[in-house]
Amino acid sequence: MSMNGIDISNHQAGIDLARVPFDFVICKATEGTGFVDRYCDGFIRTAAGLGRKTGVYHYATGQSSGKAEAEYFYANIKGYVGTSLLALDWEGGAVEQGPAYALAFLDRLRELTGVKALIYMSKSVCRAYDWSGVAAGDYGLWCAQYADSSPTGYQASPWTDDGGTGAFPGMAIYQYSSTGRLDGYDGNLDLNIAYMDGAAWDRYANPGGGADEPSVPVTAPPAAPEKLAVDGSFGPATVRRTQAYFGTVVDGIVSYQPESNRKYLYSAYAGCWQFLKTGYGPGSDMVRAMQRRFGAAVDGWAGRDTVLHMQAFLGVAQDGSMGPKTVSAWQSWINSH
């Protein structure tokens, strides 16, 4: 039995996971000893709320020590231990440090969590180094190899060469495309097949199988959010709820909106919608996610086109102005999703 899934990071900011088909998602959490992916928590909470399997990974830089990177990863993912699969992303500059560095990471993480993480690497890296120490530690392999760069959907039997995986007896997860195309998202996605069922995934995440307490305190599954007041004001509560729904940063701020668009956003609460008097800036990830959902042009700036598509999506009068009736309809919609 197998499962289909994706791995994502800040590069997929604004993705609406509720619209994308997947059995599991593995999210970037940290990198080196100084970077935390701010989108990870929103992605994980959204996926967990959808009842999907989750995982978190650390992107190694090889610039300190395996132990130090493991401790940094652990410090930032304690709340996921016992519920999410853990993985080490071994590529880029870290590769030249060799398997000993990776093994130091995996062993230290196991000491801290009781979990044997997977290690991600390309098929060529599997065969270019002696991974016998890692394989002997029973650390599973998440392997990457692509047949080509052509866009593809999920594949039940993706191509792989017959050259083997070095010291590893096989693959737990296989990433077979970085140009995946799935309904609900208009960009490329990494596509993976996990050669396991949901129960096996849970055993990777929590080897105790639930019989014992998890190795560290875990974050309880998020409670159902409180209902928004249907008051027609796109204020802080509605902004935060919308951000949480789409898996973007939940800070209550709709950033970098051009002042010229304010006339289309009658019910936008000025205290949390950031209007720029000059220039345009990069726009808002939340707005980009909304535009994708409504089928509007995706630029991060909420203007007349966005409002018209929003109104069409909600089935309210299309006058191009985000007034109280439009916002109330959005609040009612998001309360039911």
Side-chain angles (χ1 to χ4, degrees):
M1 188 171 182
S2 62
M3 300 189 295
N4 295 316
I6 56 177
D7 57 278
I8 58 177
S9 69
N10 54 85
H11 294 294
Q12 286 75 41
I15 187 172
D16 181 359
L17 291 175
R19 298 185 64 200
V20 178
F22 65 95
D23 299 316
F24 65 88
V25 61
I26 309 176
C27 307
K28 181 177 181 178
T30 52
E31 178 175 335
T33 57
F35 176 81
V36 175
D37 194 313
R38 62 178 183 164
Y39 293 93
C40 179
D41 190 63
F43 290 153
I44 294 293
R45 288 179 177 273
T46 299
L50 294 168
R52 314 294 173 78
K53 300 301 180 184
T54 60
V56 288
Y57 73 85
H58 172 82
Y59 185 98
T61 63
Q63 295 177 357
S64 54
S65 69
K67 179 181 177 182
E69 292 202 47
E71 290 172 349
Y72 185 75
F73 181 49
Y74 168 70
N76 287 283
I77 55 91
K78 290 180 181 180
Y80 310 131
V81 176
T83 57
S84 291
L85 176 148
L86 309 182
L88 169 63
D89 185 347
W90 191 252
E91 58 181 304
V95 172
E96 64 188 32
Q97 297 297 330
Y101 191 109
L103 183 57
F105 177 101
L106 295 164
D107 284 347
R108 180 56 177 154
L109 187 63
R110 185 175 180 180
E111 290 175 359
L112 293 167
T113 65
V115 175
K116 291 181 284 188
L118 300 186
I119 183 167
Y120 167 95
M121 67 183 77
S122 69
K123 183 73 77 71
S124 61
V125 172
C126 286
R127 300 193 285 236
Y129 294 84
D130 179 7
W131 291 100
S132 56
V134 173
D138 198 27
Y139 297 111
L141 176 64
W142 174 14
C143 192
Q145 185 183 42
Y146 312 148
D148 52 45
S149 58
S150 301
T152 182
Y154 287 129
Q155 298 180 26
S157 299
W159 171 88
T160 183
D161 67 28
D162 58 2
T165 50
F168 296 98
M171 298 180 285
I173 303 176
Y174 180 37
Q175 184 191 91
Y176 54 86
S177 179
S178 62
T179 52
R181 289 289 178 152
L182 300 177
D183 291 342
Y185 186 68
D186 58 6
N188 289 328
L189 290 167
D190 292 342
L191 299 187
N192 301 266
I193 183 169
Y195 298 109
M196 64 184 84
D197 59 15
W201 185 281
D202 292 341
R203 288 193 293 273
Y204 271 110
N206 180 10
D212 302 313
E213 289 296 315
S215 52
V216 297
V218 299
T219 303
E226 293 184 7
K227 297 290 186 181
L228 285 171
V230 181
D231 57 12
S233 174
F234 212 125
T238 302
V239 170
R240 286 193 295 270
R241 179 68 182 283
T242 303
Q243 290 171 326
Y245 175 80
F246 286 113
T248 63
V249 172
V250 181
D251 59 6
I253 301 296
V254 186
S255 54
Y256 302 110
Q257 298 302 296
E259 178 69 27
S260 58
N261 280 353
R262 189 194 289 262
K263 60 180 176 288
Y264 305 118
L265 306 170
Y266 178 81
S267 290
Y269 187 83
C272 57
W273 286 70
Q274 182 185 73
F275 290 101
L276 303 179
K277 295 185 183 299
T278 59
Y280 287 84
S284 162
D285 289 334
M286 183 198 84
V287 171
R288 273 186 281 273
M290 294 177 73
Q291 289 168 330
R292 291 188 185 97
R293 188 60 185 261
F294 303 148
V298 180
D299 56 17
W301 306 315
R304 189 169 187 272
D305 177 72
T306 302
V307 174
L308 285 170
H309 279 82
M310 179 182 188
Q311 290 171 329
F313 176 85
L314 295 169
V316 298
Q318 294 175 251
D319 59 8
S321 175
M322 193 182 75
K325 290 184 179 179
T326 299
V327 175
S328 292
W330 174 245
Q331 290 166 329
S332 296
W333 186 91
I334 207 166
N335 275 339
S336 63
H337 289 81

